Each structure stands twice: as structure tokens, then as C-alpha cells.
Amino acid sequence: MFLSYVVPMMNNLKGKTEREVLIELAYVDGLTGLLNRNRSEEIMNQIRYDEENFYYVVEFEIINLKKINRTYGYATGDKVLIEFADNLKAAFEDAMLVSRYSGDEFIIILENENQEKLDHCMEIFMEKIRLYNEQQEEEAAIQYVYGVGECNCM
């Protein structure tokens, strides 16, 4: 389990300055490559009330990660997290924030996008997860929930 976390993280750090390495270690989730909770909270705290800007906030949670870890092991659970994160990055490529907020929770923030853009991103993501799940045993398929909020301030 430890190596599945450390090896990808070390590969991401090659060729970077010491400062870049420290920033990445502080702000990037080593397993998924997404921004971590620390950086997410910094970004969210910088967002202020502004009638000109509008935000969609989408929170995802993988609801069967513990079961996958118990049944198939942590290496499989890590693969699920990586797959989920990669699909979020691909579907929400224009998002202001894509982050792994905690172990099985992810947050997306879209800035100044309309409902159609959000729906389109969600459709892409759901289709990617559906295709992934078709290749898995039923108990290893990713099950998730999500909630969407909209605001012009945080």
C-alpha cells in the first residue's frame, strides 16, 4: 500500500526545483494528483461575494470504498481512487477547482458556467464511470453520490 502511494508521488516530482517539490507536497494529493484539502480550502477562502461571478459546487463521495478495500485490498481501493480522480479531471477539465477533499470525497468548483455546461460535464463523468464499471466485478464497481450547489459567493 505504501509503495502505491510513494512511487507515483516520486515520479511526479522528477525535474522540479526544491520549492516546486515542497509546494506540490503541501498542496497536491500524492495518490491522485488532484489538489488536496489544504489547497482547496485556500482557494475557497479566496472566493468572495461578487455579483459578477457565479459558481457551481459539486461534491462527490465514493460510497463503497471501504467495502472495496476490505474485499479486494487497499491496492484495488487506490486504483479506484485514481480512476475516479482521472475521470473527474477529464470531465471537468475547465473547472476552477478539482480536488480530493478527503479520503473518498472530491470537490469540483465551476466558475461562471451555465447549467448546460454543468450537465454536459456530469454526463461525461457518469459515462466514464459507467464504462469503467462494466469492466469490473459487481462488488468492485464504483458507487458514488453527489450533490450540487450554486451560489455567487462562498
Side-chain angles (χ1 to χ4, degrees):
M1 181 176 128
F2 178 73
L3 288 179
S4 68
Y5 179 80
V6 172
V7 172
M9 181 179 66
M10 296 308 292
N11 286 334
N12 288 338
L13 300 179
K14 288 180 183 174
K16 296 184 177 178
T17 66
E18 184 177 342
R19 177 175 166 65
E20 290 171 328
V21 168
L22 292 174
I23 289 171
E24 188 158 330
L25 289 172
Y27 291 137
V28 176
D29 177 65
L31 180 66
T32 64
L34 297 179
L35 295 178
N36 64 19
R37 182 181 190 135
N38 291 336
R39 184 63 180 134
S40 299
E41 288 181 351
E42 283 185 4
I43 290 170
M44 288 187 277
N45 287 332
Q46 291 171 1
I47 298 172
R48 298 286 180 244
Y49 176 77
D50 183 351
E51 292 181 10
E52 300 295 318
N53 293 315
F54 182 82
Y55 303 93
Y56 283 107
V57 180
V58 188
E59 183 178 353
F60 293 87
E61 181 179 355
I62 302 173
I63 59 175
N64 64 331
L65 184 61
K66 287 181 184 178
K67 183 176 181 180
I68 290 171
N69 284 336
R70 284 193 308 265
T71 305
Y72 299 98
Y74 287 98
T76 300
D78 286 351
K79 289 178 185 174
V80 164
L81 287 167
I82 292 166
E83 182 71 25
F84 199 83
D86 287 348
N87 287 320
L88 284 175
K89 283 188 278 192
F92 292 91
E93 62 186 358
D94 296 329
M96 146 182 216
L97 175 69
V98 179
S99 74
R100 181 177 177 200
Y101 199 70
S102 68
D104 58 3
E105 295 178 10
F106 299 81
I107 292 182
I108 310 292
I109 298 179
L110 294 170
E111 181 179 26
N112 296 324
E113 297 291 354
N114 57 32
Q115 181 71 46
E116 292 79 26
K117 174 69 174 187
L118 173 64
D119 292 344
H120 178 70
C121 293
M122 291 298 297
E123 288 171 13
I124 291 170
F125 175 74
M126 289 180 198
E127 179 64 11
K128 288 178 175 294
I129 295 298
R130 186 189 67 75
L131 292 172
Y132 171 81
N133 283 344
E134 284 181 356
Q135 306 300 315
Q136 308 305 310
E137 295 180 31
E138 186 175 336
E139 289 189 6
I142 298 172
Q143 298 173 11
Y144 64 94
V145 293
Y146 68 91
V148 178
E150 52 186 71
C151 65
N152 62 347
C153 65
M154 303 271 301

